[in-house]
């Protein structure tokens, strides 16, 4: 080894010296940190004093701790006082409460606050009668009302105000009102007079108008003329409660003059209290009082508001909507215009001072002023619906649109957040003029703040419904063709929510997307949203988000208008989820099956998802088998006897195999409970049953709508062929959506799946033509009617239980549609190889047919030895 150089040695020496001083400082800090720890340790003598005999009863222990214990023990006893009152009220009042009174005389703040809360809890629990409570606790409460600590005084005051609600009039008069006469005098402290103001406001609800006029109003007038502005302001805010207790006549003759005088007070807080009280009492006064007395005061207050403190502007902007509504009808045109301009000025307050400087360079007082201006604009956004009523929705574009535009583009998030909350109310008020705010909807959907997006999507289905119908419920064509930016904005909003950490916003947004079949076309949903739902289900790490995407995808599938697209979605659900490599995907497939049972008819689930679902009884992962066991009762509820007898046999065989072959003890325990539940279930019959009548009707309606979708597609194709038009939209010629990857090769409906239109072969040519024409007219409006009233059918689906009955579907008296035939290899063990993303035209879906003789052999179904079912793949060379 080579010796270090002199420079290196010097550096090491300097470092060692510096480290030494650093170590000494660290040791000193550790010593300081350890001192409180050592002080907190109890000595044997202290532990002895804190030890209580375990044989003492609760009452004896409480008395002992209040007498000889420390403050923390006494506080614990007082916190436990409601429990002692419920357990033994007589002994608690006789032995414990006197000790509590003694302890409160010298108690600290924590014990006082605890006592106030405990006394209030005892009142709410009704552990004793009102008379006993007043006799035992009322004097203790009144004694501590004027505690030197403001927090303690307010706590006891809140308890007293709650006690006043239940006390009889005689007790109130003798124990509270009579002593209040002396407490409200100028010779008393300011705190005593403030307490008197709040008590007077509460007492007015307990006495009649005559008693209030004789005993309470003189004290009210005295406190309104108090020398301290805090007392005048406090009493002014209680005048609203007093006015409600004395009636309209006394309010006009006594309260209104006091409010007018207080509105001219030298103290800004008093004037503000008078203004807010006047606004809240506008409904009591008649038109003459409003126009001759109140309106001049309001005008003067508004004119002086910009010269006063910004806090007055905050209050004024908050109450402006209520004020304009209360004074509506008495404004002259000039006054109306003046108040409107005043509101517009408040909406842009502070925006003119934007200079782009760094916040660190702005003086603190300017920053505080800007925060107040933001509050003013936020309050203006809150009052915007009221201002639309003020100007009349017909005049919105001319009078308020520019203001609405400014609020939606405000640089501060709280303002945009508030206007996003109000967006639905604005849309309802505009009604047929809702098209005026289309661009603002897009702006808020594209807002950079997720808080704004979260506020907007609370009522997104209702907003989009109003946008799509133009506010008219009778409009049949409800596609948002005039708003081409909507779909890109919705997709961008979802991607922004997905990229953030706010998964609840993402979940809510996906749930609200369930309304899209009501407002945009089926093809737009298919090409722009369905693949995204699959991606979320398979890649997102948040379970609630995955479930929301799964449910929304099921709703998209429910109202998809093209059978070819529906088959591709079903096939991908089965192959990439139900037969996926990841057990997580297979769990999500079971969640999807649960949503399918909820949203679709029973026949649809049995046709496409019954066999792939019970196939998972052979899954190698215990969690998948366990989840399937929980789902089996719902799966069985989709069967109806005797049409689905072969499926019932398959289900029973799978359950028997689970009972015999299951090795995981947790899964086996669930299987045994599930078997008992399955045995208790009543099977649904083909015919309607009285006990399941409502559920049968609901399922019949769902299947009727599913059949109408088939008829609609078939009849539209025939109509287009008869008219010489292309078979479908140009989107079928340009591209075909292939779930999972891009492909220029269009996939087509499997040729071996026969689909027939009910009744088309049994009618004569002319009759058949008329029937098709009438059904086409009816089916063209189905896409709107199916989701009427916010897709109410889906909401009803959540009430369906496990034992729902079945029926024989029929539409307009026509014969039942023939189902897809069951293939021999439809019930096999899932393929463990990865499933492809696209499928060729000869790929068949696993399906079952009710009432068909092509039943599956129960001996070979679900066997692990049988060859797995495979899909024919279309080869495709990948680009280098």
């Amino acid at each position: 080894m080579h010796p270090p150089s002199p420079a290196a040695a010097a550096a090491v020496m300097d470092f060692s010296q510096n480290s030494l001083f650093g170590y000494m400082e660290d040791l000193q800090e550790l010593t300081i940190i350890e001192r409180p720890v050592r002080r907190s340790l109890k000595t044997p003598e202290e532990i002895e004093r804190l030890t209580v005999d375990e044989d003492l009863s609760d009452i004896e222990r409480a008395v002992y701790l209040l007498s000889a214990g420390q403050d923390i023990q006494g506080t614990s006893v007082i916190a436990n006082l409601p429990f002692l009152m419920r357990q033994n009220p007589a002994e608690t009042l006789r032995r414990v409460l006197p000790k509590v009174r003694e302890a409160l005389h010298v108690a600290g703040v924590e014990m006082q606050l605890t006592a106030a809360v405990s006394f209030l809890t005892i009142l709410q629990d009704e552990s004793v009668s009102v008379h006993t409570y007043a006799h035992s606790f009322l004097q203790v409460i009144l004694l501590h009302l004027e505690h030197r600590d403001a927090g303690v005084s307010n706590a006891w005051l809140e308890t007293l105000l709650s006690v006043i609600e239940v006390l009889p009039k005689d007790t109130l008069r003798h124990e509270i009102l009579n002593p209040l006469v002396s407490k409200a005098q100028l010779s008393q402290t300011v705190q005593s007079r403030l307490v008197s103001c709040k008590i007077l406001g509460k007492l007015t609800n307990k006495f009649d108008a005559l008693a209030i006029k004789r005993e309470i109003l003189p004290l009210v007038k005295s406190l309104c003329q108090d020398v301290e502005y805090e007392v005048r302001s406090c009493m002014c805010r209680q005048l609203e409660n007093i006015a409600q207790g004395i009636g309209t006549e006394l309010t006009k003759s006594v309260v209104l003059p006091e409010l007018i005088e207080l509105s001219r007070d030298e103290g800004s807080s008093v004037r503000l209290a008078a203004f807010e009280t006047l606004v809240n009492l506008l409904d009591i006064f008649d038109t003459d009082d409003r126009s001759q007395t109140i309106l001049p005061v309001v005008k003067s207050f508004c004119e002086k508001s910009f010269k006063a403190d910004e806090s007055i502007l905050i209050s004024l902007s908050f109450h402006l909507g209520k004020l304009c509504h209360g004074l509506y009808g008495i404004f002259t045109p000039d006054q109306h215009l003046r108040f409107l301009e005043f509101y517009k000025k408040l909406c842009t307050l502070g925006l003119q001072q934007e200079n782009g400087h760094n916040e660190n360079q702005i003086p603190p007082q300017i920053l505080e002023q800007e925060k107040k201006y933001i509050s003013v604009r936020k309050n203006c956004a809150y009052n915007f619906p009221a201002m639309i009523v003020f100007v009349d929705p017909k005049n919105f574009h001319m009078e308020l649109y520019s203001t609405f535009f400014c609020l939606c583009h405000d640089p501060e998030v709280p303002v945009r957040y508030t206007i996003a909350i109000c967006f639905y109310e604005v849309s309802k008020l505009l009604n047929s003029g809702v098209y005026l705010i289309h661009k603002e909807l897009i702006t808020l959907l594209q807002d950079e703040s997720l808080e704004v997006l979260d506020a907007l999507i609370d009522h997104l289905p209702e907003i989009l419904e109003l946008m799509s119908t133009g506010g008219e419920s009778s409009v049949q064509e409800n596609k948002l063709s005039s708003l081409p930016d909507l779909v890109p904005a919705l997709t961008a909003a979802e991607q922004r929510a997905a990229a953030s950490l706010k998964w609840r916003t993402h979940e809510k947004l996906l749930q609200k997307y369930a309304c899209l079949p009501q407002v945009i076309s089926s093809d737009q949903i298919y090409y722009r949203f369905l693949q995204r739902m699959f991606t979320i289900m398979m890649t997102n790490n948040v379970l609630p988000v995955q479930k929301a995407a799964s449910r929304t995808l099921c709703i998209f599938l429910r109202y998809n208008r093209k059978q070819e697209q529906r088959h591709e979605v079903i096939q991908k659900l089965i192959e990439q989820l139900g037969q996926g490599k990841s057990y997580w995907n297979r769990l999500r497939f079971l969640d999807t099956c649960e949503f399918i049972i909820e949203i679709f008819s029973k026949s649809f689930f049995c046709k496409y998802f019954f066999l792939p679902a019970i196939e998972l009884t052979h899954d190698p992962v215990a969690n998948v088998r366990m989840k399937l066991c929980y789902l089996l009762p719902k799966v069985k509820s989709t069967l109806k006897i005797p049409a689905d007898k072969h499926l019932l046999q398959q289900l029973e065989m799978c359950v028997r195999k689970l009972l015999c072959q299951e090795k995981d003890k947790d899964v086996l325990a669930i299987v045994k409970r599930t078997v008992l539940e399955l045995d208790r279930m009543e099977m649904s019959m083909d015919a309607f049953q009285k006990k399941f009548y409502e559920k049968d009707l609901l399922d019949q309606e769902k299947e009727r709508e599913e059949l109408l979708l088939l008829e609609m597609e078939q009849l539209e194709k025939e109509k287009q062929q008869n008219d010489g038009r292309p078979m479908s939209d140009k989107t079928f010629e340009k591209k075909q959506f292939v779930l999972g990857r891009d492909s220029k090769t269009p996939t087509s409906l499997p040729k071996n799946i026969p689909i027939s239109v009910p009744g088309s072969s049994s009618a004569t040519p002319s009759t058949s033509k008329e029937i098709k024409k009438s059904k086409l007219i009816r089916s063209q409006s189905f896409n709107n009617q199916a989701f009427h009233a916010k897709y109410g059918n889906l909401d009803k689906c959540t009430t369906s239980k496990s034992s729902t009955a079945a029926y024989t579907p029929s539409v307009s008296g026509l014969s039942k549609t023939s189902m897809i035939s069951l293939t021999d290899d439809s019930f096999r063990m899932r393929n463990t190889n990865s499933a492809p993303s696209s499928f060729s035209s000869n790929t068949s879906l696993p399906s079952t047919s009710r009432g068909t003789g092509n039943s599956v052999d129960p001996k070979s179904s679900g066997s692990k030895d049988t060859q797995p079912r495979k899909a024919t793949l279309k080869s495709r060379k990948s680009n280098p």
Side-chain angles (χ1 to χ4, degrees), residues 255-501:
V255 175
L256 184 57
E258 293 293 337
L259 283 173
I260 299 302
E261 185 175 352
L262 290 171
S263 66
R264 305 187 187 101
D265 196 276
E266 59 185 9
S268 60
S269 62
V270 181
R271 296 197 302 271
L272 182 60
F275 170 77
E276 293 178 355
T277 305
L278 277 173
V279 172
N280 293 331
L281 291 177
L282 279 175
D283 294 336
I284 295 180
F285 304 116
D286 55 23
T287 304
D288 293 337
D289 291 327
R290 296 180 192 178
S291 59
Q292 298 175 8
T293 307
I294 299 176
L295 182 58
V297 174
V298 171
K299 287 173 56 181
S300 175
F301 189 82
C302 293
E303 291 170 357
K304 297 177 181 179
S305 59
F306 282 100
K307 302 177 183 179
D309 185 23
E310 286 82 5
S311 59
I312 293 181
L313 282 176
I314 294 175
S315 176
L316 179 58
S317 62
F318 181 76
H319 291 89
L320 193 59
K322 184 186 292 187
L323 180 65
C324 291
H325 177 73
L327 297 178
Y328 187 79
I330 66 172
F331 285 124
T332 63
D334 181 63
Q335 292 170 341
H336 189 280
L337 181 61
R338 187 176 302 177
F339 268 88
L340 182 60
E341 292 300 323
F342 178 74
Y343 172 76
K344 293 180 180 179
K345 188 175 181 181
L346 290 179
C347 288
T348 58
L349 187 65
L351 295 180
Q352 300 84 357
Q353 301 177 7
E354 295 286 337
N355 49 19
H357 293 305
N358 190 355
E359 289 188 0
N360 296 328
Q361 302 174 357
I362 303 176
Q365 60 271 20
I366 301 299
L367 284 175
E368 188 65 28
Q369 185 184 53
E370 288 184 357
K371 290 180 180 178
K372 293 181 178 179
Y373 288 161
I374 293 172
S375 298
V376 170
R377 300 200 304 273
K378 177 183 175 182
N379 291 337
C380 289
Y382 168 77
N383 282 303
F384 193 83
M387 297 308 296
I388 293 180
V389 177
F390 182 66
V391 301
D392 196 316
K394 296 178 181 178
N395 301 322
F396 169 79
H397 187 264
M398 183 182 301
E399 301 289 351
L400 284 177
Y401 176 74
S402 59
T403 302
F404 187 68
F405 178 87
C406 291
L407 292 173
C408 290
H409 292 81
D410 194 278
E412 300 298 332
V413 172
V415 181
R416 303 197 305 273
Y417 173 83
T418 307
I419 200 65
I421 292 177
C422 299
F423 199 93
Y424 173 53
E425 293 296 328
V426 173
S427 302
K428 285 197 302 183
L429 289 171
L430 292 181
N431 200 10
S432 59
V434 71
Y435 67 92
L436 295 171
I437 58 174
H438 279 179
K439 293 181 180 179
E440 282 63 41
L441 173 63
I442 303 300
T443 298
L444 294 177
L445 281 173
Q446 296 174 339
D447 196 281
E448 59 184 10
S449 172
L450 280 180
E451 294 179 7
V452 177
L453 178 63
D454 188 83
L456 182 67
I457 62 179
D458 282 335
H459 292 284
L460 185 62
E462 295 86 351
I463 293 172
L464 292 179
E465 182 181 1
L466 290 169
M467 291 283 183
S468 64
T469 60
E472 301 293 336
S473 59
S474 60
V475 176
Q476 294 296 325
E477 180 59 37
N478 65 347
K479 303 305 176 190
L480 288 172
S481 57
S482 62
L483 195 58
D485 296 334
L486 175 63
V487 173
L490 289 172
T491 55
E494 187 277 322
Q495 291 171 0
R496 244 183 11 264
S500 70
L501 296 177

Side-chain angles (χ1 to χ4, degrees), residues 501-611:
L501 296 177
K502 298 182 178 180
W503 63 266
R504 288 181 177 85
T505 299
H506 193 198
E507 178 194 14
K508 186 196 298 186
L509 185 62
L510 294 175
Q511 291 170 348
K512 300 300 181 180
Y513 277 5
C515 73
L516 292 182
Q518 187 184 10
V519 293
I520 62 178
S521 68
S522 175
D523 280 344
Q524 284 179 308
I525 293 175
Y526 185 71
Y527 293 120
R528 300 301 297 272
F529 294 97
L530 262 173
Q531 174 60 37
R532 181 59 183 164
M533 295 301 114
F534 268 112
T535 303
I536 295 171
M537 290 171 63
M538 300 187 69
T539 61
N540 197 281
N541 295 325
V542 182
L543 180 58
V545 173
Q546 288 183 313
K547 287 189 174 182
S550 175
R551 192 179 194 281
T552 300
L553 183 142
C554 291
I555 295 175
F556 289 166
L557 178 63
R558 173 73 171 81
Y559 291 97
N560 186 282
R561 299 182 63 171
K562 294 182 179 178
Q563 190 176 19
E564 181 180 5
Q565 296 174 355
R566 291 196 297 272
H567 277 239
E568 288 183 3
V569 175
I570 293 170
Q571 187 131 2
K572 185 169 184 182
L573 282 172
I574 294 172
E575 296 203 0
Q576 293 200 9
L577 290 181
Q579 299 172 355
K581 286 184 177 181
S582 171
Y583 87 100
W584 191 255
N585 289 342
R586 300 197 294 275
L587 288 174
R588 300 293 73 76
F589 175 74
L590 293 176
D591 289 330
T592 305
C593 287
E594 190 170 359
F595 294 136
I596 292 289
I597 294 173
E598 171 193 345
I599 295 169
F600 288 80
S601 66
K602 292 181 287 186
S603 61
F604 181 91
F605 176 82
C606 291
K607 182 177 180 180
Y608 294 112
F609 291 94
F610 185 91
L611 295 179

Side-chain angles (χ1 to χ4, degrees), residues 650-667:
Q650 298 285 352
L651 178 63
E652 291 174 349
M653 181 187 63
C654 291
V655 174
R656 282 196 298 269
K657 285 187 177 181
L658 278 175
L659 279 173
C660 298
Q661 301 175 4
E662 183 58 53
K663 297 180 180 179
D664 188 282
K665 61 179 182 180
D666 295 326
V667 179

